[in-house]
Amino acid sequence: MAFEQQQGGDTFAPLYPHQFMVLTTFRKNGNAVPTTVWFAHDNGKLYVTTSANAGKLKRVHNNGHVLLAPSDRVGNVQGDSITAHAHEVSPEEHERAQNILRGKYGAQFDEILRNPRVPGNARTYIEIEGV
């Protein structure tokens, strides 16, 4: 069941109490691909980080339509889906997005940035807006 935004309300408010959400992106053939991610919000937008060669980023480039749902760390959905639009932020905006995520996750987020499997320069950010 999709969450319907109340006029004047914050589309993403149902997500804020959660540490994780399922970000569902769509392949060119329309098949949905759910991925559990960390997220943080600022000024009515959500931010997610990923490696620059991640499948979810490729799918967002092809089709910015996404679904979001609060979840636990293993992707068990804990609420209704929210329809949104996603796009990759420009390199000039990376530091801002990084700081927003760091504000929510602190030292845990810094550990992600130090992950040797995803060097810092191969990391990018996705901005998500309500529709």
Side-chain angles (χ1 to χ4, degrees):
M1 176 182 297
F3 171 79
E4 297 296 329
Q5 178 183 2
Q6 299 297 319
Q7 197 161 23
D10 184 340
T11 300
F12 301 128
L15 299 170
Y16 298 160
H18 299 272
Q19 293 293 307
F20 301 92
M21 72 175 179
V22 171
L23 168 66
T24 301
T25 54
F26 296 89
R27 292 189 172 122
K28 288 181 182 179
N29 66 7
N31 289 346
V33 182
T35 308
T36 305
V37 296
W38 279 1
F39 68 96
H41 67 92
D42 185 59
N43 291 325
K45 297 178 183 178
L46 300 179
Y47 295 87
V48 171
T49 188
T50 190
S51 68
N53 61 359
K56 67 180 149 296
L57 182 63
K58 292 174 188 173
R59 292 186 294 274
V60 162
H61 282 208
N62 288 323
N63 178 1
H65 171 76
V66 296
L67 295 176
L68 314 171
S71 74
D72 63 14
R73 70 177 43 232
V74 295
N76 295 313
V77 172
Q78 300 179 334
D80 293 336
S81 294
I82 300 168
T83 301
H85 186 271
H87 65 273
E88 182 178 13
V89 302
S90 69
E92 295 79 25
E93 299 173 272
H94 281 197
E95 185 175 350
R96 180 176 177 277
Q98 191 176 85
N99 288 334
I100 292 166
L101 285 155
R102 183 178 286 118
K104 180 173 181 179
Y105 296 102
Q108 292 178 37
F109 181 72
D110 290 331
E111 286 297 317
I112 286 177
L113 296 181
R114 288 192 290 270
N115 183 339
R117 293 181 292 160
V118 183
N121 62 356
R123 185 155 290 286
T124 192
Y125 298 86
I126 297 171
E127 181 179 80
I128 303 169
E129 302 176 87
V131 291

